[in-house]
Amino acid sequence: MINMTVWKKGGQYSGFSLDGHAEYAEAGRDVVCAAVSALALNTANSIESLTEDFFEQELSEDGGYLRMDFPNGAGEKASLLMDSLVLGIRGILDAWGDEYLTLTIEEV
């Protein structure tokens, strides 16, 4: 199962993490894992390329783990990109259910 946690502080994004594998199908054919990975990596790459926000990132070399923190909080553009990530993850949850993916939004 993929566990996604999104952190907010005072309503402002402070980071997110993804951990695990969906195990919907074998590696290379797992559409749930591929969809989540594509959304998360595109969001991280977009924040890096399209915003000036400072962030720290951890990524496992073999996949299955991504963490992105905004020590100073996410700015306007990064927040919009994070809104889009959460929207996409909720869409995957609606389509495939919570057997393969969880989403937790925590106020820290």
Side-chain angles (χ1 to χ4, degrees), residues 89-107:
I89 295 297
R90 285 188 172 137
I92 294 169
L93 276 166
D94 288 345
W96 298 99
D98 59 5
E99 183 178 348
Y100 308 104
L101 172 65
T102 64
L103 172 62
T104 305
I105 300 178
E106 294 180 357
E107 184 69 28

Side-chain angles (χ1 to χ4, degrees), residues 28-48:
R29 298 190 184 279
D30 192 328
V31 295
V32 176
C33 200
V36 171
S37 296
L39 284 172
L41 291 173
N42 186 66
T43 299
N45 289 336
S46 295
I47 289 169
E48 181 177 23

